[in-house]
Amino acid sequence: MAVYKDTKQEKKKWQISQLGVNNAFLHGDLHKEVYMQAPPGLEVHSPGLVCKLSLYGLKLAMYVDDVLLTGTDSEEINQLKAFLHDKFKIKDLGQLHYILGLEILYKLDGIIISQRKFVLDLLKEYECLHSPALTSPLESTVILKAKKGTSLSDPTYSKLIGKLKFLTNTRLGIENGVQHLSQFMQDLRDAHLPAAYHMLRYLKKDPTLGLYFSNEDDLSLVAYCDSDWAAYLDSKRSVSGYIVFLGGSPISWKSKKQETISPSSAEAEYRALRKVVGEIV
């Protein structure tokens, strides 16, 4: 553990506003030939040659860009909103509550960021809503190995691992387990499935868990690291893990397989320490 305290700084407690920008593209079939200048890096035999685009028509496309605004000057923010509204069609969504699958809950002493809806949708998609909840992300006695079991041709379960990886944005407890399951993405076997479903049932225990960011002025920087020596039986590689807190709030974390084999647990620990020191710097 390493601790650094900065008593000269304080948290600003800025408000965050959310805007939606609507954009619509032209639609319809193209009845004319469209050309473009040769892009950089493309060799042409003579100057003046252009490229003919092979477009088979443009269909209607509509999307909404999410924009976050924050700062100390509320008047300047309002002026910026007016300027954007003059240039684009925007919708003022008020205080930030939901963006890109992240839900923001405001409390008197800070905010909580979670992916509650994403977790519930995931449990429903994989039919785990009515399964008993579990208290750990992975079963400690289960050892996962490559090439064990029958290969899965159905991409549904690879998609599950990808969604679990997205959840590590707010669910720190599954970081190590997800990176472990991710090692088998290229050749996922049926023997790996119970571990993935185990993690889903762990998420069911409390879908509202997330990250807490305190608005207190404490800005102590605290870092922890650890290693799991020779955690991968197939390659004998160890795993490094670290987490960094700023004022008691997590701002950076990772669990990753080490690049080379560590002949001793002490060397594996030093490799993990090097990773977290680099992250702090």
Side-chain angles (χ1 to χ4, degrees):
M1 180 184 74
V3 180
Y4 169 76
K5 292 187 177 181
D6 188 344
T7 58
K8 299 179 181 179
Q9 300 294 329
E10 62 179 13
K11 296 177 182 176
K12 306 300 183 183
K13 305 178 180 67
W14 291 357
Q15 295 294 317
I16 304 176
S17 299
Q18 185 176 11
L19 305 178
V21 183
N22 298 318
N23 292 280
F25 293 94
L26 296 177
H27 61 93
D29 295 328
L30 290 178
H31 301 290
K32 297 181 180 180
E33 294 182 343
V34 180
Y35 299 88
M36 63 174 286
Q37 293 181 344
L42 178 63
E43 295 183 2
V44 293
H45 300 294
S46 61
L49 291 180
V50 294
C51 299
K52 180 180 179 180
L53 298 184
S54 297
L55 298 176
Y56 302 99
L58 298 175
K59 295 184 178 180
L60 176 63
M62 177 78 74
Y63 67 93
V64 176
D65 283 333
D66 290 313
V67 179
L68 302 183
L69 294 178
T70 187
T72 56
D73 192 332
S74 58
E75 182 178 349
E76 186 175 0
I77 290 177
N78 290 331
Q79 291 175 357
L80 178 56
K81 289 180 181 180
F83 171 78
L84 292 174
H85 188 70
D86 183 58
K87 298 296 181 180
F88 310 95
K89 183 181 179 181
I90 70 168
K91 183 178 181 180
D92 191 344
L93 303 176
Q95 190 177 37
L96 174 64
H97 288 282
Y98 185 88
I99 184 171
L100 300 177
L102 303 177
E103 299 179 48
I104 293 83
L105 175 65
Y106 295 89
K107 298 171 62 68
L108 293 177
D109 54 354
I111 62 172
I112 297 175
I113 302 178
S114 72
Q115 293 171 280
R116 180 190 61 86
K117 183 179 183 301
F118 187 87
V119 172
L120 294 175
D121 290 343
L122 193 60
L123 293 174
K124 182 179 179 180
E125 180 179 356
Y126 289 90
E127 301 179 351
C128 291
L129 278 176
H130 303 291
S131 301
L134 298 175
T135 58
S136 64
L138 284 181
E139 189 68 50
S140 59
T141 58
V142 173
I143 299 176
L144 301 179
K145 298 184 65 175
K147 309 299 182 183
K148 181 181 180 181
T150 305
S151 294
L152 295 173
S153 57
D154 188 349
T156 301
Y157 300 103
S158 296
K159 184 180 177 182
L160 168 59
I161 306 303
K163 290 187 174 185
L164 288 173
K165 193 169 185 180
F166 177 66
L167 268 177
T168 60
N169 288 316
T170 58
R171 299 297 296 258
L172 309 187
I174 67 173
E175 172 75 27
N176 183 64
V178 170
Q179 74 85 24
H180 198 62
L181 287 172
S182 298
Q183 304 301 315
F184 311 107
M185 285 282 286
Q186 301 301 322
D187 187 13
L188 198 62
R189 304 291 179 112
D190 59 356
H192 304 142
L193 286 183
Y197 276 97
H198 185 105
M199 192 168 294
L200 285 174
R201 293 170 61 185
Y202 166 74
L203 293 170
K204 183 180 183 295
K205 185 174 184 294
D206 191 350
T208 65
L209 282 180
L211 304 177
Y212 169 68
F213 293 94
S214 170
N215 58 19
E216 296 180 0
D217 287 335
D218 176 26
L219 284 175
S220 300
L221 188 66
V222 181
Y224 299 88
C225 68
D226 199 2
S227 70
D228 191 356
W229 182 51
Y232 289 95
L233 300 180
D234 301 294
S235 63
K236 303 302 181 183
R237 292 191 185 182
S238 305
V239 175
S240 296
Y242 67 77
I243 184 169
V244 182
F245 294 89
L246 181 64
S249 303
I251 59 172
S252 180
W253 56 90
K254 180 173 287 189
S255 177
K256 187 176 182 181
K257 182 169 61 175
Q258 295 183 359
E259 291 81 1
T260 58
I261 297 176
S262 298
S264 66
S265 58
E267 182 171 331
E269 295 284 357
Y270 275 114
R271 290 182 186 274
L273 182 61
R274 180 176 64 87
K275 285 292 185 182
V276 74
V277 169
E279 179 67 10
I280 292 174
V281 171

